[in-house]
Amino acid sequence: MNTNASSRYDVVIVGGGHNGLVAAAYLARAGQRVLVLERLAQVGGAAVSARAFPGVDARLSRYSYLVSLLPRTIVRDLGLRLELRRRRIASYTPVERDGSPTGLLVDAADPARTGESFRALTGGDREWRAWQRFYGTTGRVAERVFPTLTEPLPTRAELRRRVADDAAWTSLFEEPLGAVVERTFTDDLVRGVVLTDALIGTFTHAHDPSLRQNRCFLYHVIGNGTGDWDVPVGGMGAVTGALAGAALAAGAEIRTGHEVTAVAADRDGRGRGEAEVSYRDRDGGTEGTVAARRVLVNAAPAALARLLGEDPGPAPEGAQLKVNMVLRRLPRLRDTTADPREAFAGTFHIAEGYRQLATAYAEARAGRLPSAPPSEIYCHTLTDPSILGPGAARQGLQTLTLFGLHMPARLFGDPVAKERALAASLAELDAVLAEPIADCLATDADGRPCLEARTPPELERELGLPGGHIFHRDLAFPFRDSDGGDGPGEPGCAAVRWGVATDRPNVLLCGAGAVRGGGVSGIPGHNAAQAVLADLADLADPERA
């Protein structure tokens, strides 16, 4: 259909996930006429809360569940009323040593207690001292790298100068992460705890020469210069609600239930022309087209290629099993020295020894379900009980989130594969408990256990994530390789400078598939907005370009 003046916008944003809402808020506050088109009935994408079980008043963070990478600058700039609460316990990892159950506790508020746990597990101080040195180094890298994520994208050489530590640069940016892990630590369990941050949502191994594991690890340890993973008070829906409120208050228009079906934009020029975005109203089935000077795509690059009518290339592959549970009570542990209220408040590692992770990867790569699936669990309600309604709180209900590793999409072609993967993952959890987790599950209004699982194919169907990949595609290091660029227009154009370029000058990525994307961060949305505003300034003043 033809467009008219009422269907023209400065910016149309494809997808109302949290990054799209960040971009909308910044641009609307800058006076741009902004339209957000969201396929689902609500905004938020993967950063949402839901009452997943009938009759159970618990608002679960159904997909994404913790926050580390959301910069405080974005919170301040947009005036977000949002509380992120730090977890005192960083992690607990159960293990059996010399025939007895024990575990490793990392207490973020008590280094002496953590040191004692290391000594009890490993028989000396070596691993604890190595742990302190290693995370001292990653902490210094975090302090230097994280601020650059909301600045124009540095070159590799510029970021290396910013890090100012050649040994750290080599270990984290140039050689496979397994090399530094093995040089630094000797205990298999300690090595595994370190490596898990390199594997979240990333199907890879310690010595992958492509350095996928390094990129994933980096984003997991640099958040806000500390690497802390915080609990969003009120659940992930509170994050989305605050962002949507900021966008609407600034004047952005948000239409839910509107599925974008095509984007038309040419490769020529510097974005002075218009792009067209076609959509379908999923409720009424009506179709429409809007025009915009800029289109920001809060969807995977593969999804953008399809919208442009192009071949998306090889599909990304997600590699996780997400399980949500509501419990009548926390389970008792085989390690009787550990308090479940502490162990489950942080990240509870299951079957994540270094050798176990390598075995699970090899089995999954061969197309087999891992014999001992690795996963990690945490309990939101121990840090933030506000997601429970009054009745659920009085009953003492607790929530558990299990995130399984090395569960690539390729394993779920068989219709019973999901049940097998879930059963195997829960069996590994039961192995470290003094009672089966099934005995602790609450039941819903229909008498069914409060447990749901999501595989990569289900994430693709529900959220539009290609292959169920939670980062849209492999993460990228937060730098560009040269002073030039591989985006549209001349080197140094705003989209390239901000790491959000596509091969269409007026179409920008604002989601996890951008450089410096991934996680609940808002960073790609911020950077896409800054690129639009910088490009508008360049167009207004050619000497700036």
Side-chain angles (χ1 to χ4, degrees):
M1 63 177 285
N2 292 328
T3 59
N4 55 51
S6 65
S7 60
R8 283 182 163 82
Y9 292 83
D10 294 313
V11 180
V12 170
I13 299 176
V14 179
H18 80 282
N19 279 308
L21 296 173
V22 168
Y26 272 103
L27 291 168
R29 286 163 65 97
Q32 296 289 290
R33 188 173 182 225
V34 178
L35 171 66
V36 179
L37 295 172
E38 168 55 47
R39 174 179 65 94
L40 299 176
Q42 73 287 324
V43 295
V48 293
S49 298
R51 288 177 173 83
F53 306 109
V56 180
D57 194 2
R59 301 182 306 280
L60 303 179
S61 297
R62 199 165 208 168
Y63 305 106
S64 302
Y65 52 97
L66 289 170
V67 178
S68 176
L69 291 162
L70 177 61
R72 297 183 185 92
T73 54
I74 292 179
V75 175
R76 288 194 300 268
D77 287 350
L78 301 184
L80 302 181
R81 300 186 66 178
L82 178 65
E83 180 183 355
L84 303 175
R85 191 170 293 169
R86 191 180 186 195
R87 301 180 296 170
R88 170 176 174 149
I89 301 300
S91 68
Y92 170 77
T93 310
V95 69
E96 187 169 301
R97 290 280 168 94
D98 301 322
S100 299
T102 184
L104 178 64
L105 181 74
V106 179
D107 185 333
D110 192 341
R113 187 182 183 207
T114 303
E116 181 53 40
S117 183
F118 269 85
R119 283 187 288 275
L121 178 74
T122 66
D125 286 324
R126 184 201 180 281
E127 297 297 272
W128 169 232
R129 288 196 296 266
W131 179 279
Q132 290 176 302
R133 288 194 302 272
F134 181 78
Y135 283 105
T137 296
T138 64
R140 290 188 293 276
V141 171
E143 290 171 354
R144 297 163 188 175
V145 171
F146 189 75
T148 71
L149 301 190
T150 48
E151 299 172 354
L153 186 64
T155 65
R156 181 188 188 100
E158 288 168 344
L159 190 65
R160 181 168 188 162
R161 286 194 295 270
R162 187 84 165 248
V163 168
D165 183 332
D166 288 343
W169 181 268
T170 298
S171 296
L172 298 178
F173 293 86
E174 292 187 347
E175 66 179 2
L177 187 68
V180 68
V181 171
E182 292 170 17
R183 282 197 305 269
T184 306
F185 304 102
T186 59
D187 186 90
D188 182 83
L189 188 74
V190 176
R191 286 177 170 179
V193 171
V194 175
L195 184 63
T196 55
D197 277 337
L199 304 177
I200 301 296
T202 304
F203 189 50
T204 186
H205 60 96
H207 292 280
D208 184 346
S210 77
L211 304 186
R212 284 189 195 90
Q213 70 282 32
N214 293 53
R215 286 171 261 152
C216 183
F217 181 82
L218 184 72
Y219 286 101
H220 277 86
V221 298
I222 63 173
N224 276 296
T226 65
D228 292 333
W229 284 84
D230 297 330
V231 175
V233 174
M236 275 297 176
V239 177
T240 293
L243 290 170
L248 291 169
E253 181 182 347
I254 299 175
R255 299 184 199 171
T256 57
H258 283 63
E259 180 179 13
V260 173
T261 55
V263 174
D266 62 40
R267 292 186 174 90
D268 299 326
R270 285 206 57 217
R272 293 175 174 83
E274 288 186 336
E276 288 193 345
V277 178
S278 300
Y279 64 86
R280 178 172 58 244
D281 180 340
R282 291 170 63 88
D283 292 329
T286 58
E287 298 182 351
T289 301
V290 292
R293 296 179 65 186
R294 301 287 185 281
V295 177
L296 271 54
V297 179
N298 186 25
L304 171 59
R306 285 191 288 271
L307 292 175
L308 291 168
E310 299 177 347
D311 180 1
E317 183 178 36
Q320 65 284 319
L321 179 71
K322 176 67 166 26
V323 183
N324 295 314
M325 294 172 266
V326 178
L327 309 183
R328 293 182 293 109
R329 56 180 171 79
L330 292 174
R332 292 176 288 111
L333 303 174
R334 289 187 63 217
D335 177 8
T336 57
T337 66
D339 180 352
R341 294 186 64 85
E342 287 193 323
F344 288 108
T347 299
F348 187 102
H349 298 282
I350 303 166
E352 290 188 335
Y354 198 65
R355 287 189 294 270
Q356 287 175 305
L357 290 168
T359 298
Y361 171 78
E363 291 171 336
R365 186 179 182 188
R368 302 191 302 273
L369 178 71
S371 53
S375 63
E376 36 203 62
I377 284 179
Y378 108 103
C379 175
H380 185 109
T381 41
L382 286 172
T383 301
D384 168 36
S386 74
I387 66 169
L388 298 174
R394 283 194 298 272
Q395 294 174 54
L397 300 186
Q398 303 282 3
T399 64
L400 281 190
T401 289
L402 181 149
F403 190 94
L405 308 182
H406 292 333
M407 290 284 180
R410 71 189 72 175
L411 299 182
F412 295 98
D414 184 330
V416 299
K418 176 180 173 179
E419 287 71 22
R420 293 202 312 268
L422 177 60
S425 297
L426 295 181
E428 288 303 309
L429 171 59
D430 283 346
V432 300
L433 301 180
E435 55 185 328
I437 192 65
D439 290 354
C440 302
L441 291 172
T443 53
D444 66 16
D446 299 317
R448 293 188 294 260
C450 292
L451 182 149
E452 67 169 15
R454 292 291 186 272
T455 64
E458 288 172 315
L459 293 182
E460 181 165 23
R461 288 195 297 272
E462 294 174 11
L463 300 177
L465 301 175
H469 201 304
I470 62 173
F471 304 137
H472 292 185
R473 60 179 174 181
D474 285 345
L475 294 166
F477 280 125
F479 56 70
R480 51 194 172 99
D481 286 325
S482 70
D483 290 328
D486 57 1
E490 58 275 348
C493 76
V496 172
R497 292 199 305 267
W498 284 95
V500 295
T502 72
D503 65 354
R504 303 300 202 278
N506 52 359
V507 178
L508 281 61
L509 291 172
C510 73
V515 181
R516 304 182 289 189
V520 177
S521 73
I523 292 169
H526 168 276
N527 292 347
Q530 300 309 309
V532 169
L533 297 176
D535 198 38
L536 291 174
D538 288 348
L539 290 173
D541 180 4
E543 292 186 2
R544 286 172 46 93

